[in-house]
Amino acid sequence: MKNYSTQMEAAKNGIITSEMEVVAEKENMNAEKIRELVALGRVAIPANINHKSLSPEGIGEGLKTKINVNLGVSGDCANYEKEFEKVKMSIEFGAEAIMDLSNYGKTNTFRKQLIDYSPAMIGTVPMYDAIGYLEKDLLEIKAEDFLRVIEAHAAEGVDFMTIHAGLNKRSIESFKRSKRLTNIVSRGGSLIFAWMEMTGNENPFYEHYDELLDILYKYDVTISLGDALRPGSINDSTDAGQISELIEIGHLTKRAWDKNVQVLVEGPGHMALNEIAANMQLQKRLCHGAPFYVLGPIVTDIAPGYDHITSAIGGAVAAANGADFLCYVTPAEHLRLPDVNDVKEGIIASKIAAHAADIAKGIPNARDIDNKMSDARRRIDWEEMFSYAIDKKKAREYFESTPPADKHSCSMCGKMCAMRTTNKILNGEKVEFSN
């Protein structure tokens, strides 16, 4: 008979769960070490008891950097078939998590299909769904209504939920004093802020935090403590509003752990390159080593259409300095709902950032595949090179689009290929260009 309800509760009781064993195998780590880290809260394994198709993943200290893909319908683009194409692509390219951010109509049909289908962990922001699910205007929604939506998502099998519980009256005062350039850019955060200002009440997720944790505990849902005051421009990064909310989140992290609920902490946002490393250390200090989940950071504000690149730059620096989980950004960021191609570009950019950071962090065996690729390049073995590529199809298409006359080269250098030249000399052969 199972004598625990959550991964953290099991870990604290010295129990290695089947999910911990899967994570240990994926990470090439000892299962007991995984258990210790889960017990401390430094690793989370989001694994709702009702998500039967899940292939568990660990997020946190000493583990490979994971990536998340955001998708979901909006009022302007309500095509669930297209969203499911994005789901399939996300899984094909190895995304460890998918967040359904649908905010239009009755979203639970799509969410249930997603949970039934996906081996990747599933996240949601229940605040987005509250208005459509409850069919009420924001001002009419009560605290118990918000909790009802959270329980509905949890019962369906959602593994982690973004809850903006740190946006309380104290952090709002800091935000107002900061006189930001871009104010609040978090969609969920802005809705909570508006609700608080219109009603005069405290944040319901903060005021009823213990009740919320009881729901999450029941289904083993990981709370992802959302950063409602994340900077939406590099001008606003590391300001009093952002840091005051982070201090509140640190306190909420410990309260969740006390109730055996696993925690992720969400972070910026837009941030100049020189501030990223310090922010990662600050989060780990204030939030007691909890896994850190960052959006970007986006390192410049002037590249709409290319924000998958600005995000990957920031994400690589963030993860190399301690971030554990990267939320992808697509070229459509700030412009429109991403299409399938945008999603692909975002996934690839984020995977590159995560892998580059794992090499920098010294994650065991992280650079093995790079060494294999380099060896295949030395031998000019194209098929083997394609097999190691993050995007195998694109690598092959580029090579074959302008085929070389000599298969032991490419159309860039032809017979002047440095690999070919050096290989011939080291093999005792002459270098000739006439044949």
Side-chain angles (χ1 to χ4, degrees), residues 63-68 94 96 296 311-320 323-328 346-363 366 370 390:
L63 308 187
K64 288 178 278 193
T65 306
K66 308 305 187 298
I67 75 159
N68 171 71
E96 290 87 5
S311 171
I313 293 168
V317 175
D324 307 289
F325 193 20
L326 302 181
C327 187
Y328 90 152
I347 292 170
I348 297 297
S350 192
K351 292 288 281 187
I352 292 168
H355 182 64
D358 287 348
I359 293 169
K361 284 192 284 193
I363 296 295
D370 295 78
I390 290 178

Side-chain angles (χ1 to χ4, degrees), residues 56-279:
E57 296 283 354
I59 302 168
E61 184 179 304
L63 308 187
K64 288 178 278 193
T65 306
K66 308 305 187 298
I67 75 159
N68 171 71
V69 170
N70 288 342
L71 44 79
V73 302
S74 68
D76 292 312
C77 297
N79 187 324
Y80 283 112
E81 287 184 11
K82 285 187 178 178
E83 292 312 295
F84 224 86
E85 285 180 43
K86 298 175 189 177
V87 170
K88 291 175 180 176
M89 176 176 288
S90 302
I91 293 166
E92 177 189 345
F93 280 100
E96 290 87 5
I98 296 170
M99 289 198 79
D100 174 19
L101 306 186
S102 297
N103 63 358
Y104 176 78
K106 296 294 185 183
T107 60
N108 59 330
T109 301
F110 174 72
R111 192 163 50 250
K112 287 174 182 174
Q113 289 173 344
L114 178 60
I115 292 164
D116 286 344
Y117 175 82
S118 176
M121 53 190 148
I122 302 302
T124 59
V125 186
M127 184 69 204
Y128 295 175
D129 197 30
I131 294 168
Y133 180 87
L134 298 167
E135 295 181 337
K136 291 182 178 181
D137 282 331
L138 186 61
L139 188 59
E140 297 173 3
I141 300 175
K142 307 298 183 190
E144 55 268 25
D145 294 327
F146 289 124
L147 294 176
R148 189 153 57 91
V149 176
I150 287 170
E151 175 122 33
H153 282 219
E156 287 166 7
V158 170
D159 301 297
F160 65 102
M161 292 184 202
T162 294
I163 309 286
H164 298 95
L167 185 71
N168 57 20
K169 289 186 175 182
R170 281 191 297 270
S171 56
I172 283 176
E173 281 305 308
S174 293
F175 155 68
K176 287 180 175 178
R177 285 195 299 267
S178 297
K179 304 294 184 186
R180 280 185 162 187
L181 182 63
T182 46
N183 291 320
I184 296 175
V185 299
S186 160
R187 184 164 60 186
S190 69
L191 292 170
I192 287 289
F193 172 71
W195 187 89
M196 291 171 67
E197 292 291 300
M198 289 191 297
T199 64
N201 296 332
E202 182 57 276
N203 181 343
F205 299 130
Y206 179 78
E207 188 174 12
H208 299 273
Y209 192 60
D210 285 329
E211 296 166 64
L212 188 157
L213 292 175
D214 288 341
I215 295 169
L216 303 184
Y217 171 83
K218 180 179 174 183
Y219 299 94
D220 197 3
V221 177
T222 298
I223 187 168
S224 190
L225 286 164
D227 52 340
L229 296 177
R230 69 173 181 266
S233 62
I234 59 172
N235 181 79
D236 296 340
S237 60
T238 324
D239 71 353
Q242 179 197 328
I243 302 306
S244 65
E245 184 184 29
L246 191 62
I247 291 167
E248 299 295 335
I249 286 172
H251 176 60
L252 295 173
T253 295
K254 280 203 162 180
R255 284 177 62 186
W257 287 345
D258 287 345
K259 289 209 165 197
N260 291 315
V261 173
Q262 300 183 98
V263 176
L264 302 172
V265 173
E266 297 186 16
H270 292 235
M271 183 163 285
L273 207 57
N274 59 304
E275 295 182 40
I276 295 173
N279 267 263

Side-chain angles (χ1 to χ4, degrees), residues 19-31:
E19 290 83 4
M20 292 176 203
E21 289 174 345
V22 171
V23 169
E25 186 175 349
K26 287 182 176 182
E27 301 287 343
N28 198 26
M29 285 179 71
N30 182 280

Side-chain angles (χ1 to χ4, degrees), residues 302-414:
I302 61 168
Y306 298 91
D307 277 324
H308 58 312
I309 297 173
T310 61
S311 171
I313 293 168
V317 175
N321 285 279
D324 307 289
F325 193 20
L326 302 181
C327 187
Y328 90 152
V329 170
T330 77
E333 186 77 8
H334 303 110
L335 300 171
R336 68 173 191 200
L337 191 77
D339 64 20
V340 173
N341 289 329
D342 295 327
V343 168
K344 178 183 174 183
E345 293 292 318
I347 292 170
I348 297 297
S350 192
K351 292 288 281 187
I352 292 168
H355 182 64
D358 287 348
I359 293 169
K361 284 192 284 193
I363 296 295
N365 309 115
R367 64 169 69 213
D368 287 1
I369 193 167
D370 295 78
N371 292 341
K372 289 177 180 178
M373 175 68 91
S374 298
D375 184 58
R377 282 182 173 148
R378 176 183 58 81
R379 293 181 281 105
I380 318 179
D381 187 327
W382 294 105
E383 290 302 321
E384 194 172 336
M385 283 185 250
F386 300 147
S387 75
Y388 300 135
I390 290 178
D391 186 347
K392 299 167 177 54
K393 185 170 181 252
K394 184 171 185 177
R396 181 184 293 279
E397 285 175 353
Y398 267 51
F399 175 73
E400 292 178 350
S401 66
T402 312
D406 182 344
K407 69 176 183 178
H408 296 297
S409 66
C410 76
S411 57
M412 170 71 81
C413 299

